[in-house]
Amino acid sequence: MKKILHYSFLLTILMISSCDKGLDDLNKNKTSPTSVDPVFLLNNAIINSSFPVKTLVFDMGIVQQMVTPNGGVLAGANFNQDSRDITQLPIWAVYYQNVIKYNYDVIQNTKSNTARSNLYNMARIYQAYAFMILTDEYGDIPFTEAGTGYSNQLLLPKYDGQQGIYTKIIQELTEASAALSATGTIETSDVLYSGDIAKWKKFGYSLLLRAGMRLSKADPAKAQTTVAAAFAGGVILTNADNAYIRHDANYNQPIGGILNGSEAANFYLTKPFVDQLKNTNDPRLSAIAVRYVGATSGNGQTAAAGSTNAAQQIGMPMGKDNGTIVAQATTDGLASFYDYSQADRRRIVKTTSPVFLVSAAQTNLLLAEARFRGWVTTGTAAQYFSDGIRAHMDQMATYDANTAVAAGARDTYVTANPLVVGTELQQINTQYWIASFLNGPEAFANFRRSGFPALTPNPYGQPNNPDVPNGTFIRRLTYPTSELSVNTTNVNAAIAAQGADKLSTKIWWDKP
């Protein structure tokens, strides 16, 4: 009996030992990655930088391209109204939680890896681009300590002044663009340019040109040297080099998604925007706009009722709410406010429409101004001006085959609208406003920098608006509630340095 018990015990031990040998291997998940190629982190940064839907509420409304007469969660630029929960959503939360974080990780993971030098510098360029958007929207922002929450446990980052941020952005773009090398590893998996070094260089130098032009009033000397360096490096001059994010059925364009969904009947092209295009016989109006003639509700905005005829387009006036717009629509001879022109969601703002970050149109127009100022000495302002218009008209075909502008119509418009002595800055920057349609942050930034187009301030709520004084425009977005309640000390230091946390407070480079 004792022998039987002894053998049983030994057998049990052997079985346990035998089973234990494979447990370590069995418990390893062979399909779950233990590391991620940093190029895919860069891709996450890129695809998350498509402009969020709330840029409709502020940026595009401030520059009077699209507006809604409705309030609630849509209240913002349409009513000159501060809404801190909404000002967090357009750029702040999306960029800091995704774009800045992912770029920072790529930079940290590749800065000492000479084999991935190109990826390191691509991430530096894209990080500079993201920070430029953030500081242009808000002014002083977390910069030096941004993105370090995981690596350094800095969960409450300090804010940097915008002047210093721009100095660093210019340095990063200059160094990273120059450091890109066609002899290094080509990062073919990148979703922006598939690792094309020549195009990444042009993207970096085009951003440097943009950064230099931002300083045209705040620091003209620095602006001139920066612009000259960018031009010498080589910028985007043709649509083949445009920097844009592609969307598809799986990854929808954010603005296209909302305008083809819950807000389809809520946003309209403004009267200033439609009138600018209509009064100059601009063929882009037919490519951009649709009017659902006779519509009395959202359900009436059917494809059959839609007209893209430029002569029939009517923009919605600024300063109306969903009460006063009813009488205005009657005055304008419309069936209802649903009868005003919209950006065509079946063509230019589809769910699969691209989002342009930097385009040949924008770059040529900036060069037109730079040449006018004498900051570049090659070419003529008139040629850059007309090339910019042509580039944007040709770019329209990228949205949809039915948004293409015919070459004949393009050339007729360019011939009829030359650059005129005495009105150069107004003409150039009005065209920049048109060429930046759907790029709300860039249109908003350049409008503040240049003062053009010559728009009339949105009268809603004035003259007694505490956020936007009578006869003025929104100049920045306010800090989100999350920062005020959690990162209180640092955000209050920024407010003390920059000025009151109001929509009307000007950022550093926004000079008269």
Side-chain angles (χ1 to χ4, degrees):
M1 184 68 176
K2 286 183 179 179
K3 286 184 177 180
I4 294 172
L5 290 173
H6 180 68
Y7 290 144
S8 296
F9 177 74
L10 286 175
L11 182 61
T12 301
I13 294 297
L14 288 171
M15 289 175 66
I16 292 171
S17 176
S18 175
C19 292
D20 209 28
K21 283 184 179 178
L23 283 179
D24 285 345
D25 290 333
L26 284 172
N27 286 330
K28 288 181 180 177
N29 188 335
K30 297 179 180 180
T31 62
S32 180
T34 56
S35 63
V36 178
D37 189 322
V39 72
F40 299 124
L41 297 178
L42 175 63
N43 286 345
N44 266 323
I46 292 170
I47 64 175
N48 276 285
S49 61
S50 276
F51 308 123
V53 296
K54 293 301 182 181
T55 56
L56 273 171
V57 175
F58 276 95
D59 301 66
M60 293 184 213
I62 296 167
V63 299
Q64 300 181 15
Q65 292 176 333
M66 282 198 276
V67 72
T68 176
N70 297 316
V73 296
L74 301 181
N78 54 340
F79 299 156
N80 282 323
Q81 180 176 319
D82 195 3
S83 178
R84 291 181 188 272
D85 290 335
I86 294 176
T87 57
Q88 176 180 354
L89 293 173
I91 296 295
W92 190 283
V94 174
Y95 272 50
Y96 274 116
Q97 293 174 16
N98 295 292
V99 185
I100 299 299
K101 178 180 70 176
Y102 287 126
N103 279 327
Y104 181 84
D105 286 349
V106 178
I107 292 167
Q108 294 305 305
N109 288 328
T110 58
K111 65 180 179 180
S112 300
N113 185 350
T114 56
R116 306 300 291 274
S117 175
N118 279 333
L119 181 58
Y120 168 63
N121 288 297
M122 288 155 58
R124 291 172 72 191
I125 289 170
Y126 214 83
Q127 189 77 315
Y129 165 69
F131 274 126
M132 195 188 308
I133 289 182
L134 281 164
T135 190
D136 288 347
E137 295 277 297
Y138 299 93
D140 295 0
I141 56 168
F143 176 77
T144 306
E145 296 180 353
T148 61
Y150 177 76
S151 61
N152 299 340
Q153 286 74 57
L154 276 171
L155 302 179
L156 301 175
K158 70 176 184 180
Y159 283 55
D160 295 78
Q162 188 179 58
Q163 184 173 5
I165 292 172
Y166 256 87
T167 298
K168 187 64 176 177
I169 284 173
I170 288 170
Q171 178 186 338
E172 284 291 284
L173 290 172
T174 301
E175 293 178 358
S177 300
L180 289 169
S181 173
T183 63
T185 302
I186 304 302
E187 303 288 346
T188 56
S189 297
D190 110 72
V191 297
L192 191 63
Y193 285 127
S194 299
D196 189 314
I197 295 303
K199 291 185 177 182
W200 267 98
K201 275 183 172 286
K202 290 177 183 178
F203 176 53
Y205 284 121
S206 296
L207 289 172
L208 185 63
L209 170 64
R210 183 180 285 185
M213 293 302 293
R214 286 284 197 274
L215 310 187
S216 59
K217 294 179 180 177
D219 190 344
K222 179 73 171 177
Q224 181 173 359
T225 58
T226 303
V227 167
F231 183 72
V235 295
I236 296 170
L237 294 173
T238 66
N239 286 332
D241 296 327
N242 283 345
Y244 66 98
I245 301 172
R246 298 150 182 84
H247 297 90
D248 57 27
N250 295 314
Y251 179 66
N252 284 183
Q253 203 253 53
I255 293 172
I258 202 74
L259 292 183
N260 282 278
S262 60
E263 308 302 338
N266 284 333
F267 282 91
Y268 295 83
L269 295 174
T270 69
K271 179 176 173 58
F273 189 70
V274 170
D275 285 356
Q276 170 64 38
L277 300 179
K278 193 173 181 178
N279 294 340
T280 56
N281 296 315
D282 194 321
R284 286 171 289 191
L285 181 57
S286 293
I288 292 170
V290 64
R291 181 177 154 223
Y292 298 103
V293 180
T296 57
S297 68
N299 291 333
Q301 295 179 340
T302 63
S307 170
T308 60
N309 185 339
Q312 289 188 289
Q313 304 309 314
I314 301 174
M316 180 176 284
M318 296 296 298
K320 306 296 180 182
D321 56 29
N322 56 12
T324 57
I325 194 61
V326 175
Q328 183 65 52
T330 300
T331 300
D332 290 337
L334 304 181
S336 72
F337 77 78
Y338 297 98
D339 201 352
Y340 282 110
S341 297
Q342 294 181 297
D344 194 340
R345 56 184 178 270
R346 295 176 174 90
R347 294 183 299 150
I348 195 168
V349 281
K350 300 182 296 186
T351 58
T352 56
S353 291
V355 166
F356 285 87
L357 310 177
V358 181
S359 68
Q362 292 169 323
T363 301
N364 274 289
L365 290 166
L366 288 179
L367 288 176
E369 181 176 338
R371 184 67 183 90
F372 169 75
R373 292 179 180 276
W375 294 350
V376 297
T377 57
T378 302
T380 66
Q383 188 62 55
Y384 289 126
F385 176 71
S386 60
D387 286 349
I389 296 172
R390 286 191 183 94
H392 188 245
M393 290 192 180
D394 291 345
Q395 175 189 318
M396 297 301 296
T398 312
Y399 293 101
D400 187 273
N402 293 316
T403 59
V405 174
R410 174 201 65 198
D411 294 342
T412 297
Y413 178 87
V414 169
T415 300
N417 294 274
L419 195 60
V420 177
V421 174
T423 60
E424 292 95 340
L425 292 179
Q426 179 173 348
Q427 285 183 271
I428 291 167
N429 288 290
T430 296
Q431 287 295 332
Y432 198 91
W433 175 61
I434 299 169
S436 299
F437 181 66
L438 296 178
N439 184 336
E442 183 59 20
F444 180 34
N446 197 69
F447 169 66
R448 286 173 289 164
R449 178 193 72 84
S450 69
F452 296 111
L455 301 171
T456 300
N458 178 10
Y460 195 93
Q462 297 184 352
N464 301 312
N465 189 324
D467 296 316
V468 186
N470 187 36
T472 65
F473 288 89
I474 293 172
R475 309 304 296 191
R476 65 180 283 272
L477 301 187
T478 55
Y479 296 124
T481 303
S482 58
E483 283 295 288
L484 295 168
S485 60
V486 177
N487 197 10
T488 310
T489 299
N490 289 320
V491 75
N492 282 341
I495 293 168
Q498 179 170 258
D501 188 25
K502 291 185 176 182
L503 297 173
S504 55
T505 296
K506 291 186 175 184
I507 58 177
W508 168 71
W509 57 249
D510 184 7
K511 306 296 183 183

